[in-house]
Amino acid sequence: MSVRVDGKKSDEVPPGPKRLSGLARFLKGPKPENVPAVVGTVAAIIGLADIAAGVMPRWRWSRVHYWSEVLPGSVTQLAAAGSIIVGILLLMLAHGLKRAKQHAWLAGVLLLPVGAAAQLIYRHSYLGTAFSLLLFVYLLRHKSSFTALPDRRSRWKALANLVLMGGASFGLGWVIVGSHANQMVGDPPVHEQIEHVLWGLFGFEGSIRYTGGTDYVVAYSLGALGLLTVLSTAYLAFRPAYPAAVLTEEDEDRLRELLDKHGHRDSLGHFALRRDKSVVFSPSGKAAVSYRVVSGVMLASGDPIGDVEAWPGAIEQFMELAKRHSWTPAVAGCSETGGEVWTRETGLDALEMGDEAIVEVADFSLTGRSMRNVRQMVKRIERNGYTTKVRRVGDLSAEELAAVQKAANAWRDTEEERGFSMALGRIGDPKDLDAIIATAHKEPEEGEDCPFGNLRAMQHYVPWGKDGSSLELMRRDRSADPGMNELLIVAFLQAAPELKIKRLSLNFAFFRSALERGSKLGAGPVVRIQRAVLVFLSRWFQIESLYKFNEKFRPRWEPRFVVFPNSRDLPRIGFAMMQAEGFLELPRLLRRRPTPPQESVHEHEDVEQAEVTRAA
């Protein structure tokens, strides 16, 4: 057969790419980026095998059984306990190995030979010993693949370790006690076995007796489990702790300079000044990305700050830091422009997470049929004696500002301040005097308990460039009339021209497009199912009610996106986002219809409030 090579005919077929045989591919191993995942999985399997080897009785028919006959009995008994400990530690290290952590690699290199020796001495297992040594050699060969630095440390991990490790040690100890039933003296009941496990974990001898030296095997194993629990908890409790993410004063000043020049680009820009975030700057210093690390996810919010042309430099620094620590990079709530830059520069993927409600001040009016519900509610509240004030923070007296701060804290339903993407976490800071506070007032009736005088509700707005504002916080007295949030938003929009504000960012409406499409005539079955699921989830998370609340003000909708590495990371990133926003609280998840707290921009009047509005 003739083919053309460089424009000329030739009867020789040019050589194609060389293909490796199956054996050659196996010996070559996985790609460097996949080595940690392979090692972590294999370490978990070997850890389970080590635990099983220490728990189960020895195979007396092993060819190398005679080795143990020349060893002291205590050596083989310690080997059983050592096999269990090594197995547990390998299971604990598996996640760190998958994330290419340096300290996990070092611990694995130290533990695997110990596990191999324990397998050989007690279990007499050639296969288990060989697997441990093969992984040991593999780790040494691929040391360069494990370069990730340790994560930030938390004291809470010590308490979690005590609870989880203690429970696991008790369960495994019960298995050890019961797995040697043939060597038990008599037939002890369950409560006696539990008592034996508890005493053994604390290093004391229980009431159950065994034959054939099994007493020592069980005692050593239980004591080793208890000791491992105590030592690992003590290590986590007393090791040096990294400081929490804090925005330094220098970083904050640099961010404010960037926001002064480019803050009009993104309504979430000012929230980069949260002081529980960290920040990375581009090499030129003209752009920055703020972030927080939550559950191993390096979570940024909104678009990068600064000059768009310098965004790639800041994104590169962000990705390099994530790679150095083996954190999962993610972005929550970036705009379409930001999403395009993130995906282009990093190869990450993007998914629409919802829409942002933006109201143009010049186009807002209470007239017209579409605004009748809001108009009637505001008029009714005003007839009930409520008045409003909209002022810059710098225009409030010290007494007024102190009253607003105390009221905002008292009206918060949770102990901790919530929010991440659209929450600043402070009111009245000397550097935020250009923020705006809207307040609702009504004189208390006779006998009414009002600790904050006539103050009944407040809202806090942060700057969005020179001529915009973003709603950051909404709180109200529980005894106030329904509709305080609508009243204050309308008051803000009416006072905006005097304050030289041209646009207002209200809030995100998560999955708004799915809710809107699913409610339309002729919607397909898939869209209807999506809407039904979102309505169901709205019982716990205010998805539908946020959309309905924002829709009252006839905003324009701007899509917002979440950026992520791949689809399998989405559950983990979603979990981290819920943690960062403060929405992941077990008591709230267990309640069917919680009472919505008025404590952040993410939380508005609930569905019942919407019913009152429509009835008005």
Side-chain angles (χ1 to χ4, degrees), residues 304-337:
I305 309 299
D307 190 352
V308 175
E309 294 184 358
W311 284 7
I315 291 173
E316 183 181 358
Q317 295 295 316
F318 177 89
M319 296 298 293
E320 179 62 30
L321 186 60
K323 180 179 179 181
R324 196 182 312 157
H325 289 271
S326 192
W327 293 327
T328 301
V331 186
C334 65
S335 68
E336 190 168 3
T337 300

Side-chain angles (χ1 to χ4, degrees), residues 331-353:
V331 186
C334 65
S335 68
E336 190 168 3
T337 300
E340 289 176 352
V341 177
W342 273 101
T343 54
R344 184 188 69 220
E345 296 296 326
T346 63
L348 301 179
D349 204 351
L351 179 69
E352 185 174 343
M353 63 181 288

Side-chain angles (χ1 to χ4, degrees), residues 51 53-56 76-85 88 122 169-170 172-177 179-180 197 200-203 214-229:
I51 293 173
V55 170
M56 297 178 185
T76 56
Q77 293 150 10
L78 285 172
S83 182
I84 295 171
I85 291 179
I88 294 175
Y122 180 71
S169 297
F170 173 79
L172 189 55
W174 198 354
V175 172
I176 293 172
V177 170
S179 65
H180 296 84
V197 173
L201 291 176
F202 285 97
T214 307
D215 280 300
Y216 295 101
V217 175
V218 174
Y220 275 119
S221 299
L222 293 177
L225 288 173
L227 184 62
L228 178 60
T229 302

Side-chain angles (χ1 to χ4, degrees), residues 35-95:
V35 167
V38 172
V39 169
T41 302
V42 175
I45 295 173
I46 292 178
L48 292 173
D50 284 342
I51 293 173
V55 170
M56 297 178 185
R58 288 182 294 174
W59 290 327
R60 308 299 295 181
W61 47 265
S62 173
R63 292 183 178 180
V64 294
H65 169 63
Y66 68 90
W67 287 7
S68 63
E69 301 300 331
V70 300
L71 295 172
S74 59
V75 173
T76 56
Q77 293 150 10
L78 285 172
S83 182
I84 295 171
I85 291 179
V86 170
I88 294 175
L89 292 176
L90 284 176
L91 284 177
M92 295 171 67
L93 288 172
H95 182 64

